[in-house]
Amino acid sequence: MTPNTTLRVSGKTRVHYTTKLLTLASTIWFGITTIGLWLFGSYILFFYGKATLTGDFDRWNNVLPHGYVIGDWQGNLVVGIHVLLAAILVIGGPLQFIPFVRQYAPRFHRWLGRLYIVTAIVVSTAGLIMVWTRGAVGDTFQHICISIQAVYCIIFALMSFRYAKARQFNKHKVWSLRLYMVTNGVWFFRVELMFWLLINGGPAGFNPKTFTGPFLTSLALFTYAIPVSLLLLELYFYARQKQNVSLSLFVFTLIILVTVLLALGIVGATMGMWLPRLAD
Ligand code: HEM
Protein backbone atom coordinates (compact mmCIF):
# COMPACT_ATOMS: atom_id res chain seq x y z
CA MET A 1 0.00 0.00 0.00
CA THR A 2 1.52 3.34 -1.00
CA PRO A 3 1.40 6.33 1.37
CA ASN A 4 -1.15 7.88 -0.99
CA THR A 5 -3.57 4.97 -0.73
CA THR A 6 -3.20 4.97 3.06
CA LEU A 7 -4.18 8.63 3.08
CA ARG A 8 -7.12 7.93 0.84
CA VAL A 9 -8.23 5.03 3.02
CA SER A 10 -7.94 7.04 6.22
CA GLY A 11 -9.70 9.95 4.46
CA LYS A 12 -12.54 7.65 3.50
CA THR A 13 -12.78 6.29 7.05
CA ARG A 14 -12.97 9.82 8.42
CA VAL A 15 -15.73 10.82 5.96
CA HIS A 16 -17.71 7.79 6.95
CA TYR A 17 -17.21 8.44 10.66
CA THR A 18 -18.24 12.12 10.58
CA THR A 19 -21.36 11.44 8.51
CA LYS A 20 -22.37 8.61 10.85
CA LEU A 21 -21.86 10.81 13.88
CA LEU A 22 -24.03 13.61 12.49
CA THR A 23 -26.71 11.18 11.35
CA LEU A 24 -26.78 9.62 14.82
CA ALA A 25 -27.22 13.03 16.50
CA SER A 26 -29.94 14.14 14.08
CA THR A 27 -31.78 10.81 14.48
CA ILE A 28 -31.80 11.13 18.29
CA TRP A 29 -32.92 14.77 17.98
CA PHE A 30 -35.64 13.79 15.53
CA GLY A 31 -36.90 10.91 17.73
CA ILE A 32 -37.19 13.05 20.85
CA THR A 33 -38.77 16.03 19.08
CA THR A 34 -41.25 13.72 17.33
CA ILE A 35 -42.41 12.37 20.71
CA GLY A 36 -42.76 15.94 22.02
CA LEU A 37 -44.57 17.19 18.93
CA TRP A 38 -47.02 14.30 18.98
CA LEU A 39 -47.73 14.94 22.67
CA PHE A 40 -48.45 18.59 21.80
CA GLY A 41 -50.59 17.41 18.86
CA SER A 42 -52.56 15.05 21.12
CA TYR A 43 -53.18 17.92 23.53
CA ILE A 44 -54.46 20.10 20.65
CA LEU A 45 -56.81 17.36 19.44
CA PHE A 46 -58.12 16.39 22.87
CA PHE A 47 -58.42 19.92 24.25
CA TYR A 48 -59.42 22.15 21.30
CA GLY A 49 -60.86 19.34 19.17
CA LYS A 50 -63.14 18.11 21.92
CA ALA A 51 -64.22 21.62 23.04
CA THR A 52 -64.99 22.57 19.43
CA LEU A 53 -66.86 19.36 18.54
CA THR A 54 -69.02 19.60 21.66
CA GLY A 55 -69.67 23.32 21.06
CA ASP A 56 -68.05 24.16 24.41
CA PHE A 57 -66.13 27.15 22.96
CA ASP A 58 -65.90 28.83 26.39
CA ARG A 59 -63.39 26.17 27.26
CA TRP A 60 -60.86 27.76 24.85
CA ASN A 61 -60.73 30.63 27.34
CA ASN A 62 -59.34 28.32 30.06
CA VAL A 63 -56.10 28.64 28.07
CA LEU A 64 -56.37 31.54 25.63
CA PRO A 65 -56.89 35.03 27.05
CA HIS A 66 -58.21 36.11 23.62
CA GLY A 67 -59.84 32.85 22.56
CA TYR A 68 -63.62 32.89 22.31
CA VAL A 69 -65.33 36.30 22.25
CA ILE A 70 -69.14 36.33 22.22
CA GLY A 71 -70.47 38.04 19.09
CA ASP A 72 -67.17 38.10 17.18
CA TRP A 73 -67.73 35.09 14.92
CA GLN A 74 -65.04 36.11 12.41
CA GLY A 75 -62.37 36.43 15.10
CA ASN A 76 -63.49 33.16 16.71
CA LEU A 77 -63.34 31.43 13.33
CA VAL A 78 -59.74 32.62 12.84
CA VAL A 79 -58.79 31.30 16.31
CA GLY A 80 -60.55 27.98 15.62
CA ILE A 81 -58.81 27.58 12.26
CA HIS A 82 -55.46 28.46 13.85
CA VAL A 83 -55.54 26.06 16.78
CA LEU A 84 -57.20 23.14 15.01
CA LEU A 85 -55.11 23.22 11.83
CA ALA A 86 -52.01 23.51 14.05
CA ALA A 87 -52.54 19.78 14.75
CA ILE A 88 -51.82 18.97 11.08
CA LEU A 89 -48.45 20.71 11.39
CA VAL A 90 -47.32 19.14 14.65
CA ILE A 91 -48.60 15.64 13.91
CA GLY A 92 -48.01 15.56 10.15
CA GLY A 93 -44.62 17.30 10.14
CA PRO A 94 -42.52 14.44 11.57
CA LEU A 95 -44.21 11.92 9.24
CA GLN A 96 -42.74 13.77 6.27
CA PHE A 97 -39.17 13.05 7.40
CA ILE A 98 -39.56 9.36 8.24
CA PRO A 99 -37.66 7.58 5.41
CA PHE A 100 -39.98 4.55 5.58
CA VAL A 101 -43.03 6.73 4.86
CA ARG A 102 -41.31 8.51 1.96
CA GLN A 103 -40.09 5.25 0.50
CA TYR A 104 -43.20 3.08 0.85
CA ALA A 105 -45.94 5.67 0.68
CA PRO A 106 -44.73 8.32 -1.79
CA ARG A 107 -48.28 9.38 -2.72
CA PHE A 108 -49.11 9.93 0.96
CA HIS A 109 -45.88 11.96 1.31
CA ARG A 110 -46.84 14.17 -1.64
CA TRP A 111 -50.42 14.59 -0.44
CA LEU A 112 -49.41 15.40 3.14
CA GLY A 113 -46.65 17.69 1.85
CA ARG A 114 -49.13 19.83 -0.09
CA LEU A 115 -51.48 19.89 2.90
CA TYR A 116 -48.60 20.83 5.23
CA ILE A 117 -47.49 23.73 3.02
CA VAL A 118 -51.00 25.16 2.65
CA THR A 119 -51.63 24.67 6.39
CA ALA A 120 -48.36 26.39 7.35
CA ILE A 121 -49.40 29.44 5.31
CA VAL A 122 -52.98 29.46 6.67
CA VAL A 123 -51.97 28.94 10.33
CA SER A 124 -49.27 31.64 10.12
CA THR A 125 -51.63 34.12 8.47
CA ALA A 126 -54.32 33.37 11.08
CA GLY A 127 -51.66 33.84 13.81
CA LEU A 128 -50.75 37.25 12.38
CA ILE A 129 -54.42 38.28 12.34
CA MET A 130 -54.83 37.10 15.96
CA VAL A 131 -51.77 38.94 17.26
CA TRP A 132 -52.49 42.23 15.54
CA THR A 133 -56.29 42.37 15.84
CA ARG A 134 -57.12 40.58 19.10
CA GLY A 135 -53.85 40.84 20.95
CA ALA A 136 -51.94 38.06 22.67
CA VAL A 137 -50.01 37.41 25.85
CA GLY A 138 -46.65 39.17 26.13
CA ASP A 139 -45.42 42.55 24.91
CA THR A 140 -45.06 44.21 21.50
CA PHE A 141 -41.49 42.99 21.12
CA GLN A 142 -42.65 39.37 21.48
CA HIS A 143 -45.46 40.06 19.01
CA ILE A 144 -43.00 41.45 16.46
CA CYS A 145 -40.73 38.41 16.93
CA ILE A 146 -43.52 35.88 16.37
CA SER A 147 -44.72 37.89 13.36
CA ILE A 148 -41.24 37.60 11.83
CA GLN A 149 -41.53 33.85 12.38
CA ALA A 150 -44.87 33.86 10.52
CA VAL A 151 -43.14 35.53 7.56
CA TYR A 152 -40.39 32.86 7.62
CA CYS A 153 -43.06 30.14 7.62
CA ILE A 154 -44.82 31.61 4.58
CA ILE A 155 -41.61 32.18 2.59
CA PHE A 156 -40.08 28.78 3.44
CA ALA A 157 -43.36 27.01 2.60
CA LEU A 158 -43.38 28.64 -0.83
CA MET A 159 -39.69 27.75 -1.40
CA SER A 160 -40.28 24.12 -0.41
CA PHE A 161 -43.25 23.89 -2.80
CA ARG A 162 -41.35 25.59 -5.61
CA TYR A 163 -38.49 23.06 -5.51
CA ALA A 164 -40.82 20.07 -5.16
CA LYS A 165 -42.68 21.24 -8.25
CA ALA A 166 -39.41 21.77 -10.11
CA ARG A 167 -38.40 18.23 -9.04
CA GLN A 168 -35.19 19.59 -7.47
CA PHE A 169 -35.49 17.25 -4.52
CA ASN A 170 -32.25 18.12 -2.71
CA LYS A 171 -33.23 21.77 -2.52
CA HIS A 172 -36.81 20.76 -1.67
CA LYS A 173 -35.54 18.75 1.31
CA VAL A 174 -33.35 21.61 2.56
CA TRP A 175 -36.23 24.12 2.38
CA SER A 176 -38.64 21.62 3.96
CA LEU A 177 -36.27 21.17 6.90
CA ARG A 178 -35.99 24.95 7.26
CA LEU A 179 -39.78 25.18 7.17
CA TYR A 180 -40.01 22.44 9.80
CA MET A 181 -37.70 24.39 12.14
CA VAL A 182 -39.80 27.53 11.94
CA THR A 183 -43.28 26.00 11.99
CA ASN A 184 -42.22 24.20 15.16
CA GLY A 185 -41.09 27.52 16.65
CA VAL A 186 -44.17 27.81 18.88
CA TRP A 187 -43.47 24.30 20.18
CA PHE A 188 -39.79 25.12 20.84
CA PHE A 189 -40.91 28.24 22.71
CA ARG A 190 -43.20 26.28 25.02
CA VAL A 191 -40.77 23.42 25.62
CA GLU A 192 -37.82 25.76 26.27
CA LEU A 193 -39.93 27.86 28.61
CA MET A 194 -40.92 24.73 30.55
CA PHE A 195 -37.26 23.64 30.71
CA TRP A 196 -36.42 27.05 32.18
CA LEU A 197 -39.21 26.79 34.76
CA LEU A 198 -38.07 23.28 35.64
CA ILE A 199 -34.42 24.17 36.28
CA ASN A 200 -35.32 27.34 38.16
CA GLY A 201 -38.12 25.75 40.17
CA GLY A 202 -40.56 28.41 38.88
CA PRO A 203 -40.63 31.70 36.95
CA ALA A 204 -37.26 33.49 36.78
CA GLY A 205 -36.28 36.51 34.70
CA PHE A 206 -39.87 37.36 33.82
CA ASN A 207 -43.16 38.36 35.35
CA PRO A 208 -45.63 35.46 35.00
CA LYS A 209 -48.61 37.82 35.38
CA THR A 210 -47.70 40.16 32.50
CA PHE A 211 -45.70 37.48 30.66
CA THR A 212 -42.90 39.97 30.07
CA GLY A 213 -39.28 40.31 31.18
CA PRO A 214 -35.72 39.79 29.94
CA PHE A 215 -35.93 36.01 29.77
CA LEU A 216 -39.04 36.06 27.56
CA THR A 217 -37.59 38.85 25.43
CA SER A 218 -34.51 36.69 24.75
CA LEU A 219 -36.57 33.54 24.27
CA ALA A 220 -38.82 35.26 21.70
CA LEU A 221 -35.82 36.78 19.93
CA PHE A 222 -33.83 33.55 19.67
CA THR A 223 -36.78 31.23 19.04
CA TYR A 224 -38.78 33.35 16.59
CA ALA A 225 -36.90 36.27 15.05
CA ILE A 226 -33.39 34.74 14.96
CA PRO A 227 -34.31 31.06 15.41
CA VAL A 228 -31.45 29.14 17.01
CA SER A 229 -33.05 25.94 15.68
CA LEU A 230 -32.53 27.24 12.15
CA LEU A 231 -28.92 28.26 12.88
CA LEU A 232 -28.25 24.80 14.27
CA LEU A 233 -29.73 23.24 11.13
CA GLU A 234 -27.47 25.38 8.92
CA LEU A 235 -24.48 24.40 11.07
CA TYR A 236 -25.47 20.75 10.64
CA PHE A 237 -25.66 21.15 6.83
CA TYR A 238 -22.26 22.85 6.88
CA ALA A 239 -20.68 20.11 9.02
CA ARG A 240 -22.06 17.39 6.72
CA GLN A 241 -20.57 19.16 3.76
CA LYS A 242 -17.16 19.88 5.37
CA GLN A 243 -16.68 16.41 6.89
CA ASN A 244 -14.16 17.71 9.37
CA VAL A 245 -13.79 15.53 12.47
CA SER A 246 -13.53 18.33 15.07
CA LEU A 247 -16.42 20.29 13.56
CA SER A 248 -18.60 17.16 13.38
CA LEU A 249 -17.80 16.28 16.99
CA PHE A 250 -18.68 19.83 18.04
CA VAL A 251 -22.01 19.79 16.14
CA PHE A 252 -22.75 16.28 17.45
CA THR A 253 -22.23 17.45 21.06
CA LEU A 254 -24.31 20.58 20.49
CA ILE A 255 -27.24 18.62 19.02
CA ILE A 256 -27.12 16.10 21.87
CA LEU A 257 -27.08 18.89 24.49
CA VAL A 258 -30.02 20.62 22.81
CA THR A 259 -31.86 17.28 22.68
CA VAL A 260 -31.37 16.73 26.43
CA LEU A 261 -32.71 20.26 27.06
CA LEU A 262 -35.72 19.58 24.82
CA ALA A 263 -36.37 16.18 26.44
CA LEU A 264 -36.53 17.79 29.89
CA GLY A 265 -38.72 20.59 28.49
CA ILE A 266 -41.07 18.03 26.93
CA VAL A 267 -41.50 16.32 30.32
CA GLY A 268 -42.10 19.75 31.92
CA ALA A 269 -44.60 20.84 29.24
CA THR A 270 -46.50 17.55 29.34
CA MET A 271 -46.73 17.33 33.13
CA GLY A 272 -47.04 21.07 33.83
CA MET A 273 -49.11 22.32 30.91
CA TRP A 274 -50.75 19.87 28.51
CA LEU A 275 -51.96 17.10 30.88
CA PRO A 276 -53.37 19.45 33.58
CA ARG A 277 -55.31 21.38 30.90
CA LEU A 278 -56.93 18.16 29.69
CA ALA A 279 -57.93 17.33 33.26
CA ASP A 280 -59.47 20.80 33.86
C1 HEM B 1 -46.99 27.76 12.45
C2 HEM B 1 -47.05 27.06 13.58
C3 HEM B 1 -47.99 27.38 14.70
C4 HEM B 1 -48.61 26.46 15.47
C5 HEM B 1 -48.44 24.96 15.34
C6 HEM B 1 -49.41 27.17 16.44
C7 HEM B 1 -50.18 26.58 17.42
C8 HEM B 1 -50.92 27.24 18.36
C9 HEM B 1 -51.68 26.62 19.42
C10 HEM B 1 -51.81 25.13 19.65
C11 HEM B 1 -52.24 27.59 20.14
C12 HEM B 1 -53.09 27.40 21.39
C13 HEM B 1 -52.22 27.68 22.60
C14 HEM B 1 -52.21 26.60 23.64
O1 HEM B 1 -53.21 25.92 23.84
O2 HEM B 1 -51.16 26.44 24.31
C15 HEM B 1 -51.85 28.85 19.56
C16 HEM B 1 -52.22 30.08 20.04
C17 HEM B 1 -51.86 31.25 19.46
N1 HEM B 1 -51.02 31.44 18.38
FE1 HEM B 1 -50.18 29.99 17.29
N2 HEM B 1 -49.24 28.51 16.24
C18 HEM B 1 -48.39 28.68 15.19
C19 HEM B 1 -47.93 29.88 14.69
C20 HEM B 1 -48.32 31.11 15.15
C21 HEM B 1 -47.85 32.35 14.61
C22 HEM B 1 -46.81 32.48 13.51
C23 HEM B 1 -48.49 33.33 15.30
C24 HEM B 1 -48.40 34.82 15.17
C25 HEM B 1 -47.93 35.47 14.16
C26 HEM B 1 -49.34 32.71 16.28
C27 HEM B 1 -50.16 33.35 17.16
C28 HEM B 1 -50.92 32.77 18.14
C29 HEM B 1 -51.73 33.49 19.09
C30 HEM B 1 -51.89 34.99 19.16
C31 HEM B 1 -52.31 32.55 19.92
C32 HEM B 1 -53.26 32.81 21.10
C33 HEM B 1 -52.43 32.96 22.33
C34 HEM B 1 -52.89 34.13 23.11
O3 HEM B 1 -54.09 34.39 23.19
O4 HEM B 1 -52.01 34.78 23.67
N3 HEM B 1 -49.21 31.35 16.16
N4 HEM B 1 -51.04 28.61 18.47
Side-chain angles (χ1 to χ4, degrees):
M1 197 184 272
T2 64
N4 267 351
T5 13
T6 318
L7 258 180
R8 238 185 341 198
V9 170
S10 73
K12 260 188 189 168
T13 317
R14 228 186 295 160
V15 168
H16 194 54
Y17 170 70
T18 54
T19 308
K20 266 193 166 173
L21 208 60
L22 291 169
T23 304
L24 176 68
S26 62
T27 307
I28 296 172
W29 179 92
F30 181 74
I32 297 292
T33 48
T34 298
I35 294 172
L37 282 166
W38 285 350
L39 284 168
F40 185 40
S42 311
Y43 151 74
I44 293 174
L45 288 181
F46 286 111
F47 183 78
Y48 292 104
K50 192 173 157 213
T52 308
L53 281 179
T54 54
D56 187 7
F57 299 107
D58 264 347
R59 211 154 168 247
W60 292 359
N61 295 343
N62 290 358
V63 175
L64 302 176
H66 312 87
Y68 180 69
V69 178
I70 295 171
D72 179 14
W73 69 266
Q74 287 120 317
N76 296 335
L77 186 66
V78 172
V79 175
I81 287 174
H82 183 83
V83 293
L84 291 172
L85 292 190
I88 295 176
L89 298 178
V90 294
I91 297 172
L95 287 175
Q96 290 298 83
F97 296 103
I98 297 175
F100 179 84
V101 175
R102 273 209 314 269
Q103 201 177 340
Y104 294 101
R107 284 186 66 178
F108 174 74
H109 174 79
R110 277 200 296 276
W111 179 85
L112 184 58
R114 288 187 195 111
L115 181 68
Y116 188 93
I117 283 170
V118 172
T119 307
I121 295 172
V122 171
V123 169
S124 303
T125 310
L128 280 172
I129 297 172
M130 285 156 70
V131 169
W132 297 108
T133 62
R134 283 203 163 182
V137 291
D139 55 22
T140 310
F141 182 81
Q142 291 174 39
H143 300 165
I144 292 173
C145 288
I146 198 166
S147 301
I148 294 173
Q149 174 116 101
V151 175
Y152 290 147
C153 290
I154 295 168
I155 295 174
F156 295 1
L158 294 174
M159 294 302 283
S160 165
F161 180 69
R162 182 185 155 189
Y163 285 116
K165 212 157 185 299
R167 303 187 69 78
Q168 295 186 30
F169 294 116
N170 281 340
K171 285 189 179 168
H172 165 65
K173 195 172 173 191
V174 167
W175 280 104
S176 302
L177 279 164
R178 288 179 180 144
L179 174 63
Y180 190 64
M181 290 302 175
V182 290
T183 47
N184 291 331
V186 295
W187 177 84
F188 286 126
F189 188 93
R190 285 163 173 77
V191 166
E192 284 158 7
L193 172 62
M194 292 316 281
F195 168 78
W196 182 254
L197 295 181
L198 208 66
I199 58 166
N200 285 291
F206 72 96
N207 181 337
K209 287 207 180 83
T210 58
F211 207 65
T212 57
F215 170 71
L216 290 175
T217 302
S218 319
L219 190 62
L221 182 65
F222 293 112
T223 308
Y224 295 141
I226 309 171
V228 169
S229 60
L230 200 57
L231 298 180
L232 194 57
L233 176 71
E234 299 301 333
L235 190 62
Y236 170 81
F237 288 152
Y238 182 70
R240 274 195 94 99
Q241 185 201 331
K242 279 274 159 201
Q243 303 204 327
N244 170 287
V245 177
S246 317
L247 178 65
S248 297
L249 266 174
F250 172 70
V251 176
F252 171 86
T253 313
L254 212 58
I255 296 177
I256 296 299
L257 285 177
V258 168
T259 308
V260 171
L261 181 157
L262 292 175
L264 291 171
I266 291 167
V267 174
T270 309
M271 305 309 285
M273 192 157 55
W274 301 325
L275 273 181
R277 285 179 187 174
L278 290 180
D280 262 359

